[in-house]
Amino acid sequence: IGVPDYSTDFLDKAIQLLYDNNYDVEAALKQLKRVDRQKDLKVPLLTREEARRFVEGVAKYGSEHRQVRLHMKTPHIPNSTIVRFYYLWKHTSQGREVWGSFGGRKGTKRKVEQDAAAKLLDDIADDQDDSAFDNDKAMKRQ
């Protein structure tokens, strides 16, 4: 039906249909083939122009969904639709490319390195004068 394998809405619907059909796999699969993406799974659909403006908005504002919606200039689309579309879109190749290169996004690896450096500086700082290093501590830490 055109949804990604990892779509939790699709998986939830499949489990619900299996349960509703008393675990009859064949009957559940027949019903699953007739599931409507938008009505049953609430998958947001945007026009090409709306999707283009969405990508521009994410590239400019990151995950600030309200700002992205305002950038799209589509008052008829609720924030909830933008949020659902964003969380589906960010797993696509285009989403990984755009969101992965967003300038305002903080990298966790870099943060860990900075935290380790800050801890090291705290470990060798002079207890009496916080603008200086304690030579004995620095020698012990090499």
mmCIF file of all heavy atoms in Angstrom, residues 1 3-36 40-41:
data_model
loop_
_atom_site.group_PDB
_atom_site.id
_atom_site.type_symbol
_atom_site.label_atom_id
_atom_site.label_comp_id
_atom_site.label_asym_id
_atom_site.label_seq_id
_atom_site.Cartn_x
_atom_site.Cartn_y
_atom_site.Cartn_z
ATOM 1 N N ILE A 1 0.814 -1.214 0.000
ATOM 2 C CA ILE A 1 0.000 0.000 0.000
ATOM 3 C C ILE A 1 0.847 1.263 0.000
ATOM 4 O O ILE A 1 0.312 2.345 0.101
ATOM 5 C CB ILE A 1 -1.006 0.007 1.175
ATOM 6 C CG1 ILE A 1 -0.287 -0.073 2.501
ATOM 7 C CG2 ILE A 1 -2.050 -1.072 1.025
ATOM 8 C CD1 ILE A 1 -1.196 0.107 3.697
ATOM 9 N N VAL A 3 3.627 2.138 2.062
ATOM 10 C CA VAL A 3 4.182 2.691 3.296
ATOM 11 C C VAL A 3 5.482 1.952 3.620
ATOM 12 O O VAL A 3 5.661 0.804 3.231
ATOM 13 C CB VAL A 3 3.196 2.572 4.483
ATOM 14 C CG1 VAL A 3 1.970 3.419 4.261
ATOM 15 C CG2 VAL A 3 2.810 1.135 4.746
ATOM 16 N N PRO A 4 6.394 2.603 4.334
ATOM 17 C CA PRO A 4 7.661 1.941 4.678
ATOM 18 C C PRO A 4 7.446 0.733 5.598
ATOM 19 O O PRO A 4 6.470 0.674 6.351
ATOM 20 C CB PRO A 4 8.450 3.025 5.414
ATOM 21 C CG PRO A 4 7.757 4.302 5.107
ATOM 22 C CD PRO A 4 6.350 3.987 4.779
ATOM 23 N N ASP A 5 8.374 -0.208 5.546
ATOM 24 C CA ASP A 5 8.296 -1.408 6.391
ATOM 25 C C ASP A 5 8.287 -1.068 7.873
ATOM 26 O O ASP A 5 7.701 -1.779 8.671
ATOM 27 C CB ASP A 5 9.486 -2.329 6.120
ATOM 28 C CG ASP A 5 9.487 -2.863 4.695
ATOM 29 O OD1 ASP A 5 8.420 -2.848 4.056
ATOM 30 O OD2 ASP A 5 10.566 -3.277 4.233
ATOM 31 N N TYR A 6 8.957 0.020 8.234
ATOM 32 C CA TYR A 6 9.089 0.385 9.642
ATOM 33 C C TYR A 6 7.918 1.229 10.148
ATOM 34 O O TYR A 6 7.944 1.689 11.287
ATOM 35 C CB TYR A 6 10.405 1.140 9.882
ATOM 36 C CG TYR A 6 10.584 2.326 8.972
ATOM 37 C CD1 TYR A 6 9.969 3.534 9.226
ATOM 38 C CD2 TYR A 6 11.374 2.219 7.834
ATOM 39 C CE1 TYR A 6 10.116 4.610 8.383
ATOM 40 C CE2 TYR A 6 11.535 3.291 6.990
ATOM 41 C CZ TYR A 6 10.918 4.483 7.265
ATOM 42 O OH TYR A 6 11.067 5.544 6.426
ATOM 43 N N SER A 7 6.901 1.439 9.333
ATOM 44 C CA SER A 7 5.764 2.271 9.730
ATOM 45 C C SER A 7 5.013 1.610 10.891
ATOM 46 O O SER A 7 4.395 0.566 10.733
ATOM 47 C CB SER A 7 4.819 2.476 8.550
ATOM 48 O OG SER A 7 3.638 3.102 8.977
ATOM 49 N N THR A 8 5.075 2.241 12.049
ATOM 50 C CA THR A 8 4.402 1.667 13.215
ATOM 51 C C THR A 8 2.888 1.679 13.052
ATOM 52 O O THR A 8 2.210 0.792 13.563
ATOM 53 C CB THR A 8 4.787 2.416 14.499
ATOM 54 O OG1 THR A 8 4.497 3.801 14.328
ATOM 55 C CG2 THR A 8 6.248 2.229 14.814
ATOM 56 N N ASP A 9 2.350 2.668 12.343
ATOM 57 C CA ASP A 9 0.911 2.704 12.110
ATOM 58 C C ASP A 9 0.474 1.487 11.296
ATOM 59 O O ASP A 9 -0.565 0.881 11.577
ATOM 60 C CB ASP A 9 0.515 3.995 11.381
ATOM 61 C CG ASP A 9 0.799 5.228 12.213
ATOM 62 O OD1 ASP A 9 0.619 5.170 13.440
ATOM 63 O OD2 ASP A 9 1.208 6.242 11.634
ATOM 64 N N PHE A 10 1.261 1.129 10.298
ATOM 65 C CA PHE A 10 0.955 -0.042 9.473
ATOM 66 C C PHE A 10 1.035 -1.321 10.307
ATOM 67 O O PHE A 10 0.157 -2.176 10.238
ATOM 68 C CB PHE A 10 1.919 -0.111 8.284
ATOM 69 C CG PHE A 10 1.733 -1.313 7.423
ATOM 70 C CD1 PHE A 10 0.636 -1.416 6.579
ATOM 71 C CD2 PHE A 10 2.635 -2.359 7.458
ATOM 72 C CE1 PHE A 10 0.454 -2.533 5.783
ATOM 73 C CE2 PHE A 10 2.471 -3.472 6.670
ATOM 74 C CZ PHE A 10 1.371 -3.566 5.819
ATOM 75 N N LEU A 11 2.085 -1.441 11.093
ATOM 76 C CA LEU A 11 2.246 -2.636 11.927
ATOM 77 C C LEU A 11 1.129 -2.742 12.959
ATOM 78 O O LEU A 11 0.610 -3.836 13.210
ATOM 79 C CB LEU A 11 3.614 -2.616 12.603
ATOM 80 C CG LEU A 11 4.812 -2.676 11.660
ATOM 81 C CD1 LEU A 11 6.113 -2.476 12.438
ATOM 82 C CD2 LEU A 11 4.836 -3.973 10.883
ATOM 83 N N ASP A 12 0.733 -1.623 13.551
ATOM 84 C CA ASP A 12 -0.374 -1.629 14.507
ATOM 85 C C ASP A 12 -1.673 -2.061 13.842
ATOM 86 O O ASP A 12 -2.453 -2.832 14.419
ATOM 87 C CB ASP A 12 -0.565 -0.250 15.134
ATOM 88 C CG ASP A 12 0.518 0.105 16.130
ATOM 89 O OD1 ASP A 12 1.261 -0.808 16.553
ATOM 90 O OD2 ASP A 12 0.625 1.295 16.484
ATOM 91 N N LYS A 13 -1.898 -1.569 12.622
ATOM 92 C CA LYS A 13 -3.114 -1.937 11.893
ATOM 93 C C LYS A 13 -3.099 -3.422 11.555
ATOM 94 O O LYS A 13 -4.133 -4.097 11.651
ATOM 95 C CB LYS A 13 -3.235 -1.094 10.617
ATOM 96 C CG LYS A 13 -4.545 -1.253 9.889
ATOM 97 C CD LYS A 13 -5.666 -0.706 10.727
ATOM 98 C CE LYS A 13 -6.964 -0.662 9.954
ATOM 99 N NZ LYS A 13 -8.062 -0.134 10.752
ATOM 100 N N ALA A 14 -1.945 -3.949 11.165
ATOM 101 C CA ALA A 14 -1.834 -5.373 10.843
ATOM 102 C C ALA A 14 -2.153 -6.222 12.067
ATOM 103 O O ALA A 14 -2.896 -7.216 11.975
ATOM 104 C CB ALA A 14 -0.437 -5.683 10.320
ATOM 105 N N ILE A 15 -1.626 -5.846 13.212
ATOM 106 C CA ILE A 15 -1.891 -6.601 14.445
ATOM 107 C C ILE A 15 -3.361 -6.500 14.826
ATOM 108 O O ILE A 15 -3.979 -7.491 15.236
ATOM 109 C CB ILE A 15 -0.976 -6.101 15.584
ATOM 110 C CG1 ILE A 15 0.466 -6.485 15.279
ATOM 111 C CG2 ILE A 15 -1.414 -6.652 16.928
ATOM 112 C CD1 ILE A 15 1.482 -5.850 16.193
ATOM 113 N N GLN A 16 -3.941 -5.304 14.667
ATOM 114 C CA GLN A 16 -5.356 -5.127 14.987
ATOM 115 C C GLN A 16 -6.221 -6.009 14.094
ATOM 116 O O GLN A 16 -7.145 -6.662 14.575
ATOM 117 C CB GLN A 16 -5.768 -3.664 14.818
ATOM 118 C CG GLN A 16 -7.248 -3.439 15.060
ATOM 119 C CD GLN A 16 -7.756 -2.106 14.523
ATOM 120 O OE1 GLN A 16 -6.973 -1.318 14.004
ATOM 121 N NE2 GLN A 16 -9.037 -1.888 14.637
ATOM 122 N N LEU A 17 -5.930 -6.033 12.794
ATOM 123 C CA LEU A 17 -6.715 -6.863 11.873
ATOM 124 C C LEU A 17 -6.541 -8.350 12.176
ATOM 125 O O LEU A 17 -7.499 -9.126 12.067
ATOM 126 C CB LEU A 17 -6.339 -6.555 10.426
ATOM 127 C CG LEU A 17 -6.773 -5.190 9.912
ATOM 128 C CD1 LEU A 17 -6.201 -4.928 8.526
ATOM 129 C CD2 LEU A 17 -8.288 -5.067 9.912
ATOM 130 N N LEU A 18 -5.357 -8.758 12.548
ATOM 131 C CA LEU A 18 -5.127 -10.153 12.914
ATOM 132 C C LEU A 18 -5.961 -10.518 14.136
ATOM 133 O O LEU A 18 -6.596 -11.575 14.179
ATOM 134 C CB LEU A 18 -3.638 -10.376 13.183
ATOM 135 C CG LEU A 18 -3.184 -11.808 13.382
ATOM 136 C CD1 LEU A 18 -3.450 -12.646 12.132
ATOM 137 C CD2 LEU A 18 -1.709 -11.853 13.740
ATOM 138 N N TYR A 19 -5.989 -9.649 15.111
ATOM 139 C CA TYR A 19 -6.783 -9.872 16.320
ATOM 140 C C TYR A 19 -8.277 -9.876 15.989
ATOM 141 O O TYR A 19 -9.015 -10.743 16.455
ATOM 142 C CB TYR A 19 -6.466 -8.788 17.349
ATOM 143 C CG TYR A 19 -7.274 -8.898 18.615
ATOM 144 C CD1 TYR A 19 -6.967 -9.846 19.580
ATOM 145 C CD2 TYR A 19 -8.349 -8.040 18.846
ATOM 146 C CE1 TYR A 19 -7.710 -9.946 20.742
ATOM 147 C CE2 TYR A 19 -9.100 -8.135 19.998
ATOM 148 C CZ TYR A 19 -8.782 -9.095 20.947
ATOM 149 O OH TYR A 19 -9.532 -9.185 22.091
ATOM 150 N N ASP A 20 -8.732 -8.887 15.184
ATOM 151 C CA ASP A 20 -10.145 -8.796 14.821
ATOM 152 C C ASP A 20 -10.634 -10.025 14.059
ATOM 153 O O ASP A 20 -11.818 -10.363 14.113
ATOM 154 C CB ASP A 20 -10.400 -7.541 13.969
ATOM 155 C CG ASP A 20 -10.247 -6.259 14.777
ATOM 156 O OD1 ASP A 20 -10.184 -6.333 16.023
ATOM 157 O OD2 ASP A 20 -10.172 -5.186 14.140
ATOM 158 N N ASN A 21 -9.727 -10.690 13.339
ATOM 159 C CA ASN A 21 -10.082 -11.875 12.559
ATOM 160 C C ASN A 21 -9.740 -13.168 13.300
ATOM 161 O O ASN A 21 -9.558 -14.213 12.671
ATOM 162 C CB ASN A 21 -9.378 -11.845 11.201
ATOM 163 C CG ASN A 21 -10.003 -10.828 10.285
ATOM 164 O OD1 ASN A 21 -11.112 -11.017 9.813
ATOM 165 N ND2 ASN A 21 -9.300 -9.725 10.064
ATOM 166 N N ASN A 22 -9.666 -13.120 14.616
ATOM 167 C CA ASN A 22 -9.379 -14.292 15.446
ATOM 168 C C ASN A 22 -8.128 -15.022 14.980
ATOM 169 O O ASN A 22 -8.109 -16.256 14.900
ATOM 170 C CB ASN A 22 -10.576 -15.237 15.508
ATOM 171 C CG ASN A 22 -11.753 -14.616 16.219
ATOM 172 O OD1 ASN A 22 -11.577 -13.936 17.222
ATOM 173 N ND2 ASN A 22 -12.937 -14.807 15.680
ATOM 174 N N TYR A 23 -7.116 -14.263 14.640
ATOM 175 C CA TYR A 23 -5.803 -14.771 14.226
ATOM 176 C C TYR A 23 -5.843 -15.604 12.944
ATOM 177 O O TYR A 23 -4.989 -16.427 12.716
ATOM 178 C CB TYR A 23 -5.146 -15.546 15.379
ATOM 179 C CG TYR A 23 -4.951 -14.653 16.577
ATOM 180 C CD1 TYR A 23 -5.861 -14.664 17.630
ATOM 181 C CD2 TYR A 23 -3.894 -13.761 16.623
ATOM 182 C CE1 TYR A 23 -5.706 -13.816 18.710
ATOM 183 C CE2 TYR A 23 -3.734 -12.914 17.708
ATOM 184 C CZ TYR A 23 -4.650 -12.944 18.747
ATOM 185 O OH TYR A 23 -4.491 -12.105 19.798
ATOM 186 N N ASP A 24 -6.842 -15.341 12.110
ATOM 187 C CA ASP A 24 -6.901 -15.961 10.780
ATOM 188 C C ASP A 24 -6.029 -15.098 9.860
ATOM 189 O O ASP A 24 -6.423 -14.007 9.438
ATOM 190 C CB ASP A 24 -8.344 -16.013 10.278
ATOM 191 C CG ASP A 24 -8.467 -16.641 8.904
ATOM 192 O OD1 ASP A 24 -7.434 -16.959 8.278
ATOM 193 O OD2 ASP A 24 -9.616 -16.806 8.443
ATOM 194 N N VAL A 25 -4.846 -15.595 9.545
ATOM 195 C CA VAL A 25 -3.854 -14.822 8.806
ATOM 196 C C VAL A 25 -4.364 -14.452 7.419
ATOM 197 O O VAL A 25 -4.206 -13.310 6.975
ATOM 198 C CB VAL A 25 -2.520 -15.604 8.713
ATOM 199 C CG1 VAL A 25 -1.525 -14.873 7.835
ATOM 200 C CG2 VAL A 25 -1.951 -15.844 10.098
ATOM 201 N N GLU A 26 -4.974 -15.399 6.723
ATOM 202 C CA GLU A 26 -5.461 -15.132 5.359
ATOM 203 C C GLU A 26 -6.496 -14.017 5.343
ATOM 204 O O GLU A 26 -6.434 -13.114 4.512
ATOM 205 C CB GLU A 26 -6.027 -16.417 4.737
ATOM 206 C CG GLU A 26 -4.997 -17.500 4.518
ATOM 207 C CD GLU A 26 -3.869 -17.057 3.608
ATOM 208 O OE1 GLU A 26 -4.121 -16.362 2.601
ATOM 209 O OE2 GLU A 26 -2.707 -17.381 3.937
ATOM 210 N N ALA A 27 -7.447 -14.048 6.263
ATOM 211 C CA ALA A 27 -8.496 -13.020 6.316
ATOM 212 C C ALA A 27 -7.897 -11.662 6.676
ATOM 213 O O ALA A 27 -8.268 -10.632 6.096
ATOM 214 C CB ALA A 27 -9.567 -13.418 7.324
ATOM 215 N N ALA A 28 -6.959 -11.669 7.616
ATOM 216 C CA ALA A 28 -6.328 -10.411 8.027
ATOM 217 C C ALA A 28 -5.532 -9.810 6.873
ATOM 218 O O ALA A 28 -5.573 -8.596 6.645
ATOM 219 C CB ALA A 28 -5.429 -10.650 9.235
ATOM 220 N N LEU A 29 -4.797 -10.645 6.114
ATOM 221 C CA LEU A 29 -4.025 -10.146 4.975
ATOM 222 C C LEU A 29 -4.929 -9.584 3.886
ATOM 223 O O LEU A 29 -4.591 -8.583 3.250
ATOM 224 C CB LEU A 29 -3.125 -11.242 4.414
ATOM 225 C CG LEU A 29 -1.884 -11.566 5.241
ATOM 226 C CD1 LEU A 29 -1.154 -12.771 4.662
ATOM 227 C CD2 LEU A 29 -0.966 -10.373 5.326
ATOM 228 N N LYS A 30 -6.072 -10.216 3.647
ATOM 229 C CA LYS A 30 -7.034 -9.691 2.656
ATOM 230 C C LYS A 30 -7.488 -8.294 3.047
ATOM 231 O O LYS A 30 -7.553 -7.396 2.209
ATOM 232 C CB LYS A 30 -8.247 -10.615 2.543
ATOM 233 C CG LYS A 30 -8.060 -11.778 1.634
ATOM 234 C CD LYS A 30 -9.355 -12.540 1.507
ATOM 235 C CE LYS A 30 -9.165 -13.767 0.645
ATOM 236 N NZ LYS A 30 -10.381 -14.562 0.546
ATOM 237 N N GLN A 31 -7.819 -8.112 4.327
ATOM 238 C CA GLN A 31 -8.257 -6.792 4.789
ATOM 239 C C GLN A 31 -7.108 -5.791 4.776
ATOM 240 O O GLN A 31 -7.307 -4.616 4.493
ATOM 241 C CB GLN A 31 -8.849 -6.888 6.193
ATOM 242 C CG GLN A 31 -10.222 -7.515 6.221
ATOM 243 C CD GLN A 31 -10.805 -7.505 7.615
ATOM 244 O OE1 GLN A 31 -10.072 -7.510 8.601
ATOM 245 N NE2 GLN A 31 -12.122 -7.497 7.696
ATOM 246 N N LEU A 32 -5.923 -6.271 5.086
ATOM 247 C CA LEU A 32 -4.755 -5.384 5.128
ATOM 248 C C LEU A 32 -4.446 -4.808 3.749
ATOM 249 O O LEU A 32 -4.011 -3.664 3.626
ATOM 250 C CB LEU A 32 -3.545 -6.144 5.682
ATOM 251 C CG LEU A 32 -2.324 -5.316 6.064
ATOM 252 C CD1 LEU A 32 -2.666 -4.282 7.127
ATOM 253 C CD2 LEU A 32 -1.207 -6.222 6.551
ATOM 254 N N LYS A 33 -4.706 -5.580 2.704
ATOM 255 C CA LYS A 33 -4.466 -5.093 1.347
ATOM 256 C C LYS A 33 -5.411 -3.963 0.965
ATOM 257 O O LYS A 33 -5.129 -3.187 0.066
ATOM 258 C CB LYS A 33 -4.603 -6.238 0.339
ATOM 259 C CG LYS A 33 -3.467 -7.229 0.427
ATOM 260 C CD LYS A 33 -3.667 -8.364 -0.549
ATOM 261 C CE LYS A 33 -2.544 -9.386 -0.405
ATOM 262 N NZ LYS A 33 -2.743 -10.531 -1.291
ATOM 263 N N ARG A 34 -6.554 -3.879 1.648
ATOM 264 C CA ARG A 34 -7.547 -2.841 1.343
ATOM 265 C C ARG A 34 -7.433 -1.621 2.261
ATOM 266 O O ARG A 34 -8.258 -0.720 2.197
ATOM 267 C CB ARG A 34 -8.948 -3.434 1.443
ATOM 268 C CG ARG A 34 -9.240 -4.486 0.400
ATOM 269 C CD ARG A 34 -10.701 -4.867 0.381
ATOM 270 N NE ARG A 34 -11.200 -5.280 1.668
ATOM 271 C CZ ARG A 34 -11.403 -6.535 2.056
ATOM 272 N NH1 ARG A 34 -11.140 -7.516 1.234
ATOM 273 N NH2 ARG A 34 -11.881 -6.808 3.250
ATOM 274 N N VAL A 35 -6.411 -1.577 3.103
ATOM 275 C CA VAL A 35 -6.229 -0.452 4.021
ATOM 276 C C VAL A 35 -5.881 0.802 3.227
ATOM 277 O O VAL A 35 -5.075 0.757 2.305
ATOM 278 C CB VAL A 35 -5.114 -0.798 5.049
ATOM 279 C CG1 VAL A 35 -4.669 0.436 5.795
ATOM 280 C CG2 VAL A 35 -5.599 -1.850 6.012
ATOM 281 N N ASP A 36 -6.505 1.904 3.582
ATOM 282 C CA ASP A 36 -6.238 3.188 2.937
ATOM 283 C C ASP A 36 -5.166 3.929 3.726
ATOM 284 O O ASP A 36 -5.293 4.111 4.942
ATOM 285 C CB ASP A 36 -7.521 4.020 2.876
ATOM 286 C CG ASP A 36 -7.310 5.336 2.174
ATOM 287 O OD1 ASP A 36 -7.103 5.330 0.944
ATOM 288 O OD2 ASP A 36 -7.335 6.379 2.859
ATOM 289 N N ASP A 40 -7.038 5.236 6.997
ATOM 290 C CA ASP A 40 -6.833 4.246 8.055
ATOM 291 C C ASP A 40 -5.524 4.439 8.814
ATOM 292 O O ASP A 40 -5.464 4.222 10.021
ATOM 293 C CB ASP A 40 -6.863 2.829 7.469
ATOM 294 C CG ASP A 40 -8.219 2.484 6.871
ATOM 295 O OD1 ASP A 40 -9.240 2.906 7.449
ATOM 296 O OD2 ASP A 40 -8.254 1.787 5.840
ATOM 297 N N LEU A 41 -4.472 4.807 8.105
ATOM 298 C CA LEU A 41 -3.153 4.926 8.744
ATOM 299 C C LEU A 41 -2.784 6.365 9.064
ATOM 300 O O LEU A 41 -1.756 6.618 9.688
ATOM 301 C CB LEU A 41 -2.075 4.314 7.840
ATOM 302 C CG LEU A 41 -2.258 2.853 7.472
ATOM 303 C CD1 LEU A 41 -1.104 2.384 6.605
ATOM 304 C CD2 LEU A 41 -2.393 1.988 8.705
#
